[in-house]
Amino acid sequence: MKVYIEKLDQFKEVDAKTVKELLKKLEINPTTVIVTVNDELVTDEVKIKENDEIKLLSVISGG
Amino acid sequence: MACDKCFEKPVIKVTGSENSFCKACFFKYFEKKVKKTITKYNLIEKNDHIIVAVSGGKDSTVLLNLLVKVLKGRDDVKITALAIDEGIKGYRDKSLEHIKKICEDLKVELKLFSYEKEFGKSLDEILKTYKGIPCSVCGVFRRYLLNKKSKEIGGNKLATGHNMDDEAQTILMNNFRNNIKVSARMGPITGIISDKRFIKRIKPLYFLTEKEITSYAYLKGLMDKFNECPHDSDSYRAQVRDMLNDFEAKYEGTKNGIITAFLEILPLLKKHYKEEEFDEIQNCKICEEPCSGEICKACTFVEKVIKN
């Protein structure tokens, strides 16, 4: 599945069954992003499917 | 898994606990936490004129929205937004557009000051010749303007969007650099002594993490594209932040533990440094703003970095 990573402004192809697994495969610390699936904010436990639109939005911003 | 309060679909698991909340219950949790911080630490009092430091980033955008909401109907308390334009092309110009719109929507007056007008050069211009760490000069100028301009506008308190992550990072940085005296000025309401030359700073988002604030901003539709400052990765803070995030991922509740332990010892730190602090504050011989030496750090930078 395609995942948009805001910090990099890039899409990456990853195969995962849950958000938690997805972050682990991308080596992204879960405390540094919020995850939306089809524009809905979700927790790490949520299951994901091939056609879901997944975005990883960075929680870090300069002041 | 369901929301711990109402069994709806959860949107977030909050830090340092096993609680997961749905959208509506998360809003309640979040807003209650801010109100509790304001009440417990007496952050807002009768007839206050609160200057809200806004950058267009998520923390200050959420802060301004919440203060307007919390203070609705309080005719005795005034809110003014204050923004600093450092002059970072492609970053600050974009976030300022966002905050102008937010202030218009909330009907809050916005006062804007720039490095270029106040010091003679934008940060981008300064960095063409200054080869030190950008955050050093930028931080000094920003803190200087926030204090000076808040007083000029007539405010008696400055509200900032500092969150649990910011505070935990600063506590560690001060420890690592043996700067404990600086930590004595921290906490949800800053300052050791009451001195009119320093505006009191309040931090209503103190007990909320960056992730919780971003989640709230997203769910409330307050998100713009909050870019990271292009100079951020150069900073010591960025390294401490990454280290702390790694630790939080491995040992959940670390950030909460750092600030909770810090708040336990803060009264002792304040007591210890009170007299020493009072003796040291002078007025800068150039601008008359308060400082610890004869010339304040901002004027020193202006002389060394801008005029030379």
Side-chain angles (χ1 to χ4, degrees):
Chain A
M1 62 189 65
K2 258 188 184 175
V3 179
Y4 175 69
I5 304 170
E6 184 199 38
K7 192 179 167 71
L8 307 173
D9 196 18
Q10 271 178 18
F11 284 92
K12 282 201 175 178
E13 193 69 40
V14 196
D15 186 22
K17 288 188 174 68
T18 64
V19 170
K20 198 174 188 173
E21 190 186 346
L22 175 92
L23 294 175
K24 200 172 178 185
K25 284 194 172 172
L26 288 168
E27 296 182 338
I28 290 176
N29 184 330
T31 66
T32 64
V33 287
I34 60 170
V35 183
T36 66
V37 177
N38 305 322
D39 291 331
E40 277 192 31
L41 188 64
V42 296
T43 61
D44 296 357
E45 313 299 328
V46 159
K47 287 181 181 164
I48 43 180
K49 304 185 297 289
E50 181 58 40
N51 292 325
D52 282 337
E53 189 188 320
I54 301 166
K55 290 179 193 164
L56 308 185
L57 308 177
S58 177
V59 308
I60 297 161
S61 60
Chain B
M1 206 172 71
C3 170
D4 290 338
K5 297 274 182 194
C6 69
F7 305 107
E8 286 288 320
K9 190 176 160 191
V11 293
I12 185 168
K13 180 178 175 296
V14 297
T15 316
S17 82
E18 289 305 309
N19 293 112
S20 295
F21 293 132
C22 70
K23 186 174 167 178
C25 293
F26 174 60
F27 286 163
K28 279 186 200 163
Y29 155 87
F30 193 95
E31 289 165 16
K32 196 175 165 188
K33 220 164 183 181
V34 173
K35 285 178 193 164
K36 198 176 165 189
T37 307
I38 291 173
T39 309
K40 186 176 177 185
Y41 294 93
N42 208 16
L43 302 189
I44 298 172
E45 296 161 293
K46 211 173 177 202
N47 300 321
D48 270 348
H49 179 181
I50 312 278
I51 308 296
V52 185
V54 289
S55 64
K58 65 178 190 321
D59 301 310
S60 59
T61 303
V62 166
L63 175 68
L64 186 63
N65 270 272
L66 274 174
L67 286 182
V68 168
K69 188 173 181 178
V70 167
L71 295 170
K72 200 175 176 185
R74 285 280 304 266
D75 294 337
D76 62 310
V77 179
K78 188 180 173 188
I79 294 178
T80 304
L82 190 165
I84 307 291
D85 180 4
E86 302 92 343
I88 307 171
K89 213 172 177 190
Y91 169 62
R92 184 58 78 219
D93 44 354
K94 288 179 185 171
S95 63
L96 284 175
E97 285 310 310
H98 180 63
I99 201 62
K100 280 177 190 167
K101 191 183 173 304
I102 297 277
C103 287
E104 264 176 38
D105 291 348
L106 293 170
K107 296 182 176 59
V108 173
E109 187 186 5
L110 173 66
K111 299 275 190 185
L112 180 62
F113 301 94
S114 70
Y115 285 5
E116 191 164 13
K117 198 166 176 200
E118 300 296 328
F119 302 114
K121 276 184 184 176
S122 68
L123 188 68
D124 285 347
E125 282 295 316
I126 294 168
L127 295 178
K128 283 180 183 169
T129 51
Y130 176 70
K131 297 299 168 205
I133 297 165
C135 299
S136 303
V137 60
C138 188
V140 166
F141 281 167
R142 185 149 47 147
R143 282 190 295 274
Y144 175 88
L145 285 183
L146 286 175
N147 192 58
K148 190 179 177 195
K149 297 299 174 187
S150 295
K151 289 183 294 177
E152 285 176 12
I153 294 166
N156 68 320
K157 280 177 187 154
L158 174 68
T160 62
H162 286 99
N163 57 45
M164 186 187 283
D165 290 65
D166 298 324
E167 195 78 352
Q169 289 156 19
T170 310
I171 292 164
L172 285 191
M173 286 161 70
N174 288 341
N175 280 354
F176 291 172
R177 290 167 156 170
N178 192 19
N179 251 345
I180 298 301
K181 189 175 166 184
V182 178
S183 290
R185 297 182 203 136
M186 292 168 60
I189 183 158
T190 61
I192 307 174
I193 52 163
S194 185
D195 186 323
K196 282 186 176 172
R197 292 173 292 177
F198 290 109
I199 191 151
K200 266 209 172 322
R201 291 181 179 221
I202 58 171
K203 303 171 189 169
L205 306 181
Y206 195 88
F207 293 98
L208 292 157
T209 63
E210 220 163 17
K211 181 159 178 162
E212 288 167 350
I213 295 166
T214 311
S215 301
Y216 186 88
Y218 180 82
L219 293 167
K220 283 280 181 185
L222 298 172
M223 292 278 270
D224 192 30
K225 194 169 163 52
F226 297 124
N227 295 314
E228 220 173 313
C229 174
H231 306 297
D232 186 61
S233 58
D234 300 339
S235 72
Y236 184 66
R237 177 177 292 277
Q239 293 178 59
V240 172
R241 178 191 67 205
D242 293 345
M243 180 196 70
L244 200 47
N245 280 336
D246 283 346
F247 234 76
E248 180 71 37
K250 283 179 199 154
Y251 310 103
E252 203 181 318
T254 295
K255 294 171 191 172
N256 190 47
I258 291 170
I259 66 157
T260 307
F262 173 71
L263 288 173
E264 285 269 336
I265 60 162
L266 185 59
L268 299 173
L269 287 178
K270 283 188 189 291
K271 196 177 167 191
H272 182 73
Y273 286 110
K274 196 171 180 176
E275 283 178 16
E276 197 181 327
E277 184 77 13
F278 189 71
D279 286 341
E280 278 188 5
I281 301 166
Q282 301 173 34
N283 287 329
C284 171
K285 286 190 172 169
I286 297 173
C287 70
E288 296 188 347
E289 279 296 293
C291 63
S292 55
E294 288 193 347
I295 310 289
C296 75
K297 280 184 181 172
C299 287
T300 306
F301 269 124
V302 170
E303 293 297 319
K304 282 187 182 171
V305 180
I306 294 182
K307 291 189 178 168
N308 282 336

